[in-house]
Amino acid sequence: MAINLKERPIFVIGHERSGTTLLMAMLGHHKRIAVPEVGWLFPRFYPYLYTHGDLNQEENLRTLADEMLFGLNHNLWGMDLNPRNAVDEILSEVKERSFAGIYCAMHERFAKENGNKPRWGQKTPHNLYFVGPILECFPNAQFIFIVRDGRDAATDYLESAFGPTNIFCAAESWKLSWNAVKPWREKLDSSTWMDITYEDLVRQPEQMVQKVCDFLGEDYDPAMLDFWKGEIGQARGQTRDHKPLGHAVSDKYIGIHKRLLSIRDQEVFTAVAGKELEEAGYENSVKPCEITPEDEALYREKDGRVRTALLDSPGGHILFESYRDWLVDQREARKRKGLWDDSQYGKVWPEGDPYEELIIGYGAWKKWKDHFSVKRQYTAKGVVF
C-alpha cells in the first residue's frame, strides 16, 4: 500500500560519516520542515515485515508499532507521549494499517510537536539501500543524496567509536553504498532526486542550502545555517563522534585522509574503491596495491573481532546492538507462534545477502558476538542517539 502526501516527504541519504547528520540538522531548522533524529526503521523492519503476520489484525499491528516506537535510538524522538498509551496515540493517527501508516504517523506527530510544521523528513544513512521500498510506501518522496570523498569518510569511520575498523572494510562499505544508489540516480527525475557533495555544502553553505530549498520547492530560510544552536546540534555536539555539529559549518574536515591515512591505506582504498571514487568526481593519484583473497579474509576477520570488542567501549553502540538482537528474538518468537514459517525466509532482500548485517545497520556480526558471548545492555549510559 502507498501513501501520497500533499507535502512531499524528504529523505536524506548517504554513506555514514558523509554529512547526512549535518544536512538533517539544517533541514530541521527550516520553518516548514521537521526532521527527527535518525530512525533506522526501513533497515530494521521493512525486510522482515512478513514476520509480523497480517497487519489487519490489531495485535500484529500493535506489535509492529510498539517495536518501531520504542526502538528509536533517541527515546520516542523526544515527543510528548506517555509510554503507557504511546502506541494507542500513534495508531489513532495512521492513514492506513501498514508499516507506511505507522511510519508516517510517527513523523507527522513529531512535526506537530515541533512547531506544528506541515512537512517532515527523515535522515537514516542506510535508507540509501531502501529507495525502492520507500517509493512503494511514499510514491512522491524526494531524496537528497550527499556524497563525501570516500577516503575522508573512511578516515572518519576509523576515527569513530563505531563502524569499520580497518581501511579495507571502510572502503568496501563506501563502495557498496555508492553502487547501491547508482540505478536510482539514473532512473529518478530531477524533481525527485538531488545529488550534493559534502565539500560543496561546507565550502558554500548558504549557496548549497538555497539549492536544496529550490529542489524541495521551499523558500530559503536563513535559520537553517544556525542548526548548531538547536536541540540536535547541541546534543550531538556533546559527543566525541559528532562534535562538529556543535558549531557553525566548517571546511576544516575536508582532506583529512591526507594527514590521517598512510600511503599504504590510501593504496588499499584505491584497490577496493578507486573506480567508484573516480565516478564520484574525486581526484586520486595513488596507485592501487595488490590485495589477495587471503588479505581480504584477514581484513574481514580482524574487523569482525575488533568491532565486537568495541561495542561496549566508550561511545560504543551496545545499546542499539542489543535492541537489534532483541528484534531477532521477537521474530523467532512469532515464528514459534505460527505467524510465519521457513517457506517465507530469504524472500525479502537483503535477507541472505552477504552484506545483510551491514545493510540493516548492525555494529558487529552475529558470528563474532556469539563467539565472544557478548552480553546485551538495555540501559543507556551518557548521550544516546
Side-chain angles (χ1 to χ4, degrees):
M1 292 186 284
I3 297 176
N4 278 287
L5 297 172
K6 180 180 178 181
E7 300 280 358
R8 300 177 71 178
I10 305 161
F11 289 85
V12 175
I13 56 176
H15 187 269
E16 289 187 284
R17 316 307 293 172
S18 293
T20 55
T21 306
L22 171 61
L23 188 53
M24 169 189 78
M26 288 177 163
L27 286 172
H29 257 242
H30 191 283
K31 58 189 175 184
R32 295 187 74 254
I33 303 170
V35 186
E37 265 291 355
V38 62
W40 287 94
L41 298 173
F42 270 94
R44 288 181 184 176
F45 292 98
Y46 195 87
Y48 314 103
L49 288 177
Y50 67 85
T51 71
H52 284 83
D54 183 0
L55 295 181
N56 286 314
Q57 295 185 21
E58 184 68 18
E59 182 181 356
N60 297 342
L61 188 70
R62 290 185 65 83
T63 296
L64 177 59
D66 182 86
E67 292 180 358
M68 290 172 66
L69 266 174
F70 291 98
L72 293 170
N73 288 11
H74 182 56
N75 186 36
L76 295 176
W77 282 338
M79 295 184 289
D80 184 21
L81 289 171
N82 184 330
R84 287 183 177 272
N85 56 18
V87 172
D88 293 322
E89 290 195 45
I90 293 299
L91 289 183
S92 70
E93 299 173 8
V94 297
K95 290 178 168 61
E96 63 178 36
R97 299 173 66 82
S98 66
F99 167 81
I102 299 169
Y103 192 98
C104 184
M106 289 170 61
H107 285 79
E108 289 186 337
R109 174 61 180 253
F110 178 85
K112 182 179 180 180
E113 290 194 12
N114 287 266
N116 201 27
K117 296 182 179 182
R119 194 172 184 186
W120 58 262
Q122 169 57 215
K123 168 261 171 175
T124 293
H126 284 204
N127 275 350
L128 67 88
Y129 295 108
F130 295 89
V131 175
I134 289 171
L135 287 170
E136 289 176 7
C137 292
F138 305 105
N140 65 342
Q142 289 183 288
F143 299 88
I144 305 173
F145 176 73
I146 182 168
V147 65
R148 181 186 186 186
D149 186 322
R151 297 160 297 185
D152 284 349
T155 302
D156 231 338
Y157 242 160
L158 298 179
E159 291 287 302
S160 71
F162 64 95
T165 58
N166 62 58
I167 190 60
F168 174 87
C169 291
E172 189 173 52
S173 175
W174 187 86
K175 173 181 179 178
L176 190 67
S177 67
W178 173 260
N179 286 328
V181 301
K182 284 170 64 174
W184 296 106
R185 176 182 295 111
E186 297 167 2
K187 181 177 180 179
L188 299 177
D189 62 38
S190 59
S191 70
T192 301
W193 186 277
M194 180 184 191
D195 286 302
I196 67 171
T197 71
Y198 168 83
E199 291 79 13
D200 284 344
L201 182 61
V202 299
R203 284 176 174 145
Q204 309 167 62
E206 184 173 358
Q207 179 182 341
M208 292 309 301
V209 170
Q210 286 178 332
K211 288 184 177 181
V212 167
C213 289
D214 288 343
F215 165 70
L216 297 175
E218 299 286 353
D219 292 334
Y220 170 64
D221 186 347
M224 297 170 74
L225 297 183
D226 290 330
F227 67 90
W228 57 279
K229 299 177 182 178
E231 181 179 346
I232 288 178
Q234 288 296 301
R236 288 267 191 166
Q238 297 177 38
T239 67
R240 176 184 179 276
D241 290 333
H242 295 95
K243 284 190 182 300
L245 270 295
H247 57 69
V249 175
S250 170
D251 64 1
K252 69 179 181 179
Y253 303 102
I254 295 176
I256 57 174
H257 73 274
K258 297 174 183 177
R259 178 170 60 89
L260 297 175
L261 288 187
S262 68
I263 297 299
R264 169 65 176 176
D265 281 351
Q266 293 180 51
E267 291 173 345
V268 171
F269 189 97
T270 302
V272 175
K275 172 175 169 288
E276 287 75 16
L277 191 67
E278 182 179 347
E279 288 177 357
Y282 295 97
E283 295 182 0
N284 181 24
S285 60
V286 176
K287 301 299 182 183
C289 61
E290 180 184 358
I291 302 176
T292 68
E294 290 77 17
D295 293 332
E296 290 188 17
L298 185 58
Y299 275 126
R300 291 194 177 101
E301 175 156 341
K302 283 185 175 180
D303 182 58
R305 289 174 177 270
V306 177
R307 276 179 180 250
T308 307
L310 292 176
L311 281 176
D312 62 352
S313 66
H317 285 187
I318 185 64
L319 185 71
F320 309 149
E321 196 76 2
S322 299
Y323 176 70
R324 291 181 176 105
D325 288 335
W326 180 83
L327 286 178
V328 176
D329 292 346
Q330 301 314 298
R331 292 200 287 269
E332 290 302 309
R334 291 194 293 274
K335 178 182 177 181
R336 291 191 293 272
K337 290 182 178 179
L339 285 179
W340 66 280
D341 58 51
D342 287 328
S343 67
Q344 297 166 295
Y345 185 80
K347 291 184 178 180
V348 182
W349 187 86
E351 283 191 291
D353 189 284
Y355 296 100
E356 178 182 350
E357 290 174 286
L358 183 154
I359 289 167
I360 65 175
Y362 271 107
W365 321 132
K366 182 178 187 302
K367 167 186 175 181
W368 294 113
K369 287 182 288 189
D370 290 345
H371 178 81
F372 290 113
S373 301
V374 172
K375 294 182 179 179
R376 297 181 190 178
Q377 178 181 308
Y378 297 106
T379 303
K381 296 179 179 179
V383 181
V384 176
F385 300 103

